[in-house]
Structure formats: C-alpha cells, structure tokens
C-alpha cells in the first residue's frame, strides 16, 4: 500500500517538462549509437569497390554493435529510479549567436530507448535478411552503406535533445529513404517513386521547419527542455499553431492523409527497405514527433482533435486500399498506413493514448517487418513477381515463410494472444472512452478498421499461400536460405509475445509514464469493444475465405465493381493530387514560360531586331568609293561654314 | 589689282580642285586636284597677308607647302603600291573597304 502511494507520488512529481539529469556511467557513451552506423556508412560509401567483398559484413555488424550498446544503456536505465531515467549528454555547441543557442545533445529517456531498441534490433534483423535478399545484386555494398546511413539518421532523430538536431535526423531519413526507394534507379518507376516520396516529404518538412522557427520566435529556444518549460505560458494560438505545424510534418513522414500518396509507390524499393524504413521505423517518426511533443499537444485540444481525425481517416483509407491491391507489397503498404493511423489516433488522444501509440508502434515494428520480410522472400523466390494472383499454394514449398508470415498475420489482425490484439484493443478502448460524439466516431472508425484489416490480411494469406498454384511457368520457388529465414523467425517470436509483454501489468505504460505524463486508465483484458473487434475480425476472416479461399482466384483481375476500382486506384488520392496540385502547377509554369518567351524575350528581341535592322540599312552608306566620302566631307564642310555664317549674321 | 581679285582667283582654283576630286577617277589627277586646292588656299593666305601687312599668312603658306610635300611623298607611295597590285590607278577599283 505504502509502496503504491510512493510510486504515485513519484509519478505525479515527474511531469514531462522536468529537466533531465546529466548522463552518468555507461550512458555517457550514448554517442556510440550514432558512431557505429555512421562509421559503417562512411567505410562502405567512401571505400568504394574495394569493400565489395566484405561490405555486407560491416553493414550488418554496425547496427548490431549499436543494438548491443542500446541493450547495455537500457539495462543501465532500468537501474535508475523511475523519475531519474531521463538523462542527457551534451556533445558540443552547434550554433551560438546572441540569444540563439543550439547545443547538440542526446537525450536518453524511456521514450527514446524504446525507439533505439526497435531501430537497432529490428534494423539488425532486416540487415541480416538483406544479406541473403541482395546477394545477387552487384550493388549490395552501396545498399548496406545507405541502410547504415539510415540507421544513423533515425537514431539521431530519436536521440536528439532539441528540435533542430531532430530536424537533421528527420532530413537524414528523408534523404536515405529517397536513395533507397530509388536504389534500382534504372527502373523508371523506382526513380519516379523516389522523387514522389521526396517531394511529398518536403511538404511535411515545411511544416516542421516552420514549427521550429515559431518555437524560436515564441520561446527563444528549440531544446525540448526550453520549449516544454515555457509552452505553458504561451497562448492558445501559439500552441495550436505549433501543434498543427508539427502535425503537418508528421503527416508527411508517416504518410497520413493528405500526404499519403507516396507510401504505396515507395514499394518500388528493395523489400528490406520497405520493411525497415516504410514499415518499422521511419514512417513511425511522425508518431514519435507527436508523442515527444506531448507537452505542446496537451495544451491544445484543437490540434489533438485534428490528430485523431487524421488518424481515423487514414486508418480507414489505408485499410480500404489494401483490400483491392493485388501487389502483395502494396497491400502491406496500405496496411502500414492504416496501422500508423491507429497510432496517430492514439497519440491524438493525449496523455491517455501516448503509451498505447508507442505500444502499437513497437508491436507493429515486429509484425509488419516480419510480414514484409515474408513478402520479400516470396518475391525473391518467384522471380520478382509481386502479383498475388500469380502466387497461390506456397504453403507447401515455403513452410517457414508460411508459418512466420502466418504468425505476423494473426498478430496484425488482433487474434489473442498475439501482440496486435493487446496493442490495438487498448487503442480502440481508449478511443471509445474519449466520450461524446468524437468518442463514438473514433471508436467506430477504429472498430471498422479492425474488421477491414482482418479482411485484407486474410485475403493476402489465401491468395498467397492457399489455393491452387497460379505461378508463372519459369517460377520454381523453394524455401529461402537460413540467413533469410532466421530474422523472420525472430520477428515472428516478437510478434507472438511482445504485445502481451508490454501491455499486461501495464509494463510499458508504467515505464513510459514519466515521459508521457498522466497515467492512462487500466485497460481490461477483454473489454466490450475488444470483444466486438474480435467478432468483427472473425466475421471478416470468414468473408475473405468465402471470396478468396473457397472460390479459385482468377489470374487476371476481374473488372470489379466501382468501389473495387476506386480502392485499386488508391481512392483517387493521386488523381486529387494531380488535378488540384500538379495540373494547376503545370499551367502556372506554362503561363510563366509563355510570358517569358513572348513578354520578356519579346521585348528584348524587338529592341535587338530594330537596332540590327536599322544598322543593316545604314551600313550601305559605306560604299568604299573615295569620292562619296569626299562628297560627304565637302557637304559637311559647307554645312559647317554655312552654320558659322548664319550665326555670325 | 585689289586683294579681291586674288581671293576670287583662289575660290575659282579651289572649286576646280574640289570638283576634280569629286568627279575624277584617276588617282593621279585627284592628287593634282588636291594640290590645286592647297595652292588656292595658299594664294588666299598670301593675299590676305599682303592686305593686312603681316607675315603670318606667308609663314602659314610655307607650312602648307611642307605638309603638301609630305602628303605627296606618302600618297604617291600608296599610289605606286596600288598600281603595282592592280595595274590600274582608278580609285573606284580600290573600293574593297566597305560594308
């Protein structure tokens, strides 16, 4: 009893705005987390072809070393009392001009360590998978260089102790995402997709940079401690503006509406990239940003409401797209969008939801990476075929892939006791508990989303692993080598138990408590909403079985009814972008070019033509005959004399 | 003989020279016409010097002669070069320097 009271008192004292303690002991070397992958990237990218032979070994070893250090730092953190776990180290002063002071520092706290372990842990597994997946690619060394650079940028993003350094990491992951989506840049689709992702991200980055400028203007500081310490004194207008700008940044990075269109095209990149960047880590950076900026969002109910709306809309949007996509990677990408929608929804609920958002984020990191690696190994064995209508019957030939993919499938659709069940149902509950109309709307949206998730994932399962073999004639799939199956097995183990581990006993909620503030309500194991979600999911599985399991799947996609066509076309997201942004933009440029050609150039050219034409005519005067020159001299002399006489008289 | 007569003669000589320069084609004749114009001016100078009782005009006449001599030296050299190149002394043939 006394123990509980002390714990509650300690948590009440530990407001998120508290100033972190300086790091001590082993945590003082937190910069190692950045140095390992950065050194890997430097060796691989600067070393050139010399490193081709052993490049992948370095590429795998560096994230693994970072993971080992991450575990050590995590254990060290667990040794501290709950309210002393937030630690900072200052590395150096980056900018110091008058009042503007930007130190480069790292913050190791409960939130960032979760991400460090996810990025380096799941990241290392995906790196190992990529050794096998990319084994036939002559550019494998460059691939690992980019991947290490990504890990370094992502770690900088989550470890930064101020928004400006966070922004450096933010741009770093944007750059590496661009490089890796376009890794096979000789494919026009890949090059276009990379450009599209970059442009869509720039729109979000604009919000991010404006938010940082606004922070400096309003608080004179961009550090977390500085901003969160003063945000309470700022007006409602400033906090809401900050919240909306940060949300814009989060939407760009996390592929949320209205900046969602790039994620599906990003699947042109190699599959390990899709697993690491576009499923497990980078796309969740938006959720991290919102949870990290909790003190700002806590003060602005309007911004939070918009976050929940974006989350709810995207979770349905992505799920509906997934239902109609025949490309296995795109179906999974739509699912990523939808799951991040859940996280955004939870994050938008404020202090009640932050821990649940992170719980789903971590669980999602495992099962979605597992799904993508499964899709990758299928693609690897099916001669780069990704059309699920060409799969079928893979259960027998790829048993390990089937089992691991199946476990991750059960996790994502929320079947107990797999991780998705715990992580997602807490969010559905929290959405209903918001109360009022918004509670009902958010709750129903997340419930329906859960049903659709079960439908499209079951569709993927049936089309890929069940039914008759619809393979291309030259496809001879076998189980992939152990270097690829072992990461999938480890991720599947994570997908089995991790959700229960974090949610039961409030482990993660208590752990994150000092960072996320107010304690979330105790989630029940089987609540009404959770049970309804489960029933919906089972109904959706039966529906999907009736549509894709019982009946044979046609090799060419049937024409489909209007809603299928709409979902195949990504609910016209690209059409909207094209008609609202691209075409008016093109008209604007055409108009400018026309004005430049006809207006500016026209004026300049007319002047030049006039001068040229006139001089062309005048030069005929130079006949070359001496007497004509003499005549003009005489005439001139006569004129002069005449003028003189005229003046004299 | 009043100075007026001398000036009138100078004007006539000058006009003959000027018209010759304008209408003749032979470079040699043009040269002679130029000399005629110079000497017409000399005549006017000397006539006015005589009228005013000063020597300034007569001195200038000497200068003009020196200049005329120098010009003839250079001019005849050019004329010789052109004649050697083209077998013609017509100035209209040497009209390459034009538009």
């Amino acid at each position: 009893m006394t123990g509980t009271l002390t714990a509650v008192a300690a948590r009440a004292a530990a407001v998120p705005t508290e100033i972190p303690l300086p790091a001590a002991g082993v945590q003082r070397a937190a910069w190692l987390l950045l140095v390992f992958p950065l050194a890997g990237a430097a060796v691989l990218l600067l070393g050139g072809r010399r490193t081709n032979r052993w490049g992948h070994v370095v590429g795998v070893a560096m994230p693994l070393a970072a993971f080992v250090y991450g575990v050590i730092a995590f254990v060290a953190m667990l040794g501290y009392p709950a309210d002393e776990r937030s630690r900072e180290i200052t590395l150096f002063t980056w900018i110091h001009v008058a009042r503007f002071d930007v130190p480069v520092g790292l913050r190791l706290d409960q939130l960032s360590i979760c991400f460090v372990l996810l990025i380096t842990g799941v990241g290392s597994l995906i790196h190992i998978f990529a050794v096998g997946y990319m084994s036939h690619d002559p550019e494998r060394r460059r691939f690992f260089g980019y991947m290490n650079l990504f890990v370094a940028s992502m770690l900088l993003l989550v470890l930064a102790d101020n928004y400006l350094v966070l922004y450096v990491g933010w741009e770093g992951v944007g750059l590496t995402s661009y490089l890796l989506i376009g890794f096979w840049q000789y494919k026009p689709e890949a090059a276009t997709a990379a450009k599209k992702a970059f442009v869509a991200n720039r729109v979000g980055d604009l919000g991010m940079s404006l938010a940082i400028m606004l922070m400096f203007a309003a608080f004179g500081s961009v550090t977390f401690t500085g901003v969160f310490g003063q945000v309470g004194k700022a007006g409602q207008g400033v906090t809401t503006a900050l919240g909306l700008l940060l949300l814009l940044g989060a939407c760009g990075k996390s592929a949320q509406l209205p900046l969602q269109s790039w994620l599906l095209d990003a699947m042109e990149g190699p599959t390990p990239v899709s697993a690491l960047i576009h499923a497990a880590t980078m796309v969740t950076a938006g959720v991290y940003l919102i949870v990290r900026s909790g003190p700002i969002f806590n003060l602005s109910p309007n911004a939070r409401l918009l976050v929940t709306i974006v989350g709810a809309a995207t979770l349905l949007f992505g799920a509906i797209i997934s239902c109609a996509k025949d490309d296995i990677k795109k179906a999974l990408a739509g699912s990523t969008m939808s799951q991040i929608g859940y996280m955004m929804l939870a994050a938008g609920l404020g202090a009640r939801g932050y821990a649940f958002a992170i719980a789903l984020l971590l669980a999602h990191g495992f099962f979605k990476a597992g799904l993508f690696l499964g899709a990758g190994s299928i693609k690897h064995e099916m001669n780069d075929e990704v059309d699920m209508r060409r799969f079928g019957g893979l259960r027998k030939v790829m048993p390990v892939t089937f089992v691991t993919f199946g476990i991750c499938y059960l996790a994502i659709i929320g079947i107990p006791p797999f991780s998705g069940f715990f992580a997602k149902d807490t969010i559905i509950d929290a959405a209903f508990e918001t109360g009022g109309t918004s509670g009902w709307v958010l709750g129903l949206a997340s419930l329906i989303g859960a049903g659709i998730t079960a439908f499209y994932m079951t569709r993927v399962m049936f089309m890929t692993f069940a039914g008759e073999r619809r393979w291309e004639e030259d496809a001879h799939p076998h189980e992939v080598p152990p270097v690829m199956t072992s990461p999938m097995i480890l991720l599947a183990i994570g997908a089995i138990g991790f959700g229960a581990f974090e949610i039961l006993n409030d482990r993660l909620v208590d752990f994150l408590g000092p960072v996320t503030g107010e304690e979330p309500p105790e989630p029940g194991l089987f609540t009404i909403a959770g049970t309804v979600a489960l029933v919906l999911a089972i109904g959706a599985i039966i529906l999907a079985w009736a549509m894709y399991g019982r009946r044979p799947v046609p090799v060419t996609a049937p024409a489909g009814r209007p809603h299928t066509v709409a979902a195949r076309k990504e609910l016209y997201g690209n059409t909207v972008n094209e008609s609202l942004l691209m075409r008016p933009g093109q008209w604007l440029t055409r108009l400018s070019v026309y004005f430049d050609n006809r207006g500016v150039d026209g004026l300049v050219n007319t002047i030049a033509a006039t001068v040229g034409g006139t001089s062309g005519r005048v030069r005929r005067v130079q006949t070359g005959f001496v007497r004509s020159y003499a005549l003009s001299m005489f005439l001139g002399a006569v004129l002069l004399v005449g003028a003189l006489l005229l003046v004299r008289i | 003989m009043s100075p007026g007569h001398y000036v009138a003669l100078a004007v006539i000589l000058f006009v003959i020279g000027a018209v010759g320069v304008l209408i003749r084609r032979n470079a040699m004749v043009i040269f002679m016409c130029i000399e005629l114009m110079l000497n017409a001016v000399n005549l006017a100078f000397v006539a006015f010097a005589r009228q005013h009782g000063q020597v300034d005009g007569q001195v200038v006449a000497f200068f003009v002669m020196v200049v005329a001599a120098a010009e003839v030296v250079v001019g005849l050299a050019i004329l010789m070069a052109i004649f050697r190149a083209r077998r013609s002394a017509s100035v209209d043939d040497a009209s390459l320097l034009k538009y």
Side-chain angles (χ1 to χ4, degrees), chain A residues 217-284:
Chain A
F219 311 126
S221 167
V222 292
T223 58
F224 291 155
T225 17
V227 172
F228 299 159
Q230 296 176 68
V231 75
K233 286 174 252 161
Q236 185 68 32
V238 173
T239 46
T240 304
L242 272 181
L244 295 183
L245 289 172
L246 290 173
L247 174 63
L248 181 62
C251 281
K253 201 55 85 194
S254 292
Q256 300 292 291
L257 286 171
L259 298 175
Q260 83 294 349
S261 62
W262 64 271
L263 185 60
L264 286 138
D265 291 346
M267 295 301 121
E268 288 296 335
T271 312
V273 173
S274 310
L276 178 60
I277 302 185
H278 305 119
T281 56
M282 186 193 83
V283 285
T284 59

Side-chain angles (χ1 to χ4, degrees), chain A residues 45-85:
Chain A
L45 294 180
L46 300 179
R49 291 205 195 92
R50 272 171 301 234
T51 59
N52 266 358
R53 213 157 36 81
W54 42 268
H56 58 280
V57 182
V58 177
V60 171
M62 289 297 132
L64 216 52
F67 176 64
V68 170
Y69 178 79
V71 171
I72 294 170
F74 177 60
V75 171
M77 177 181 287
L78 289 181
Y80 299 129
D83 53 347
E84 288 177 17
R85 284 179 181 167

Side-chain angles (χ1 to χ4, degrees), chain A residues 357-369:
Chain A
I358 299 300
L360 178 60
L361 195 158
L362 297 176
H364 176 257
F366 280 96
F367 62 64
K368 187 51 68 64

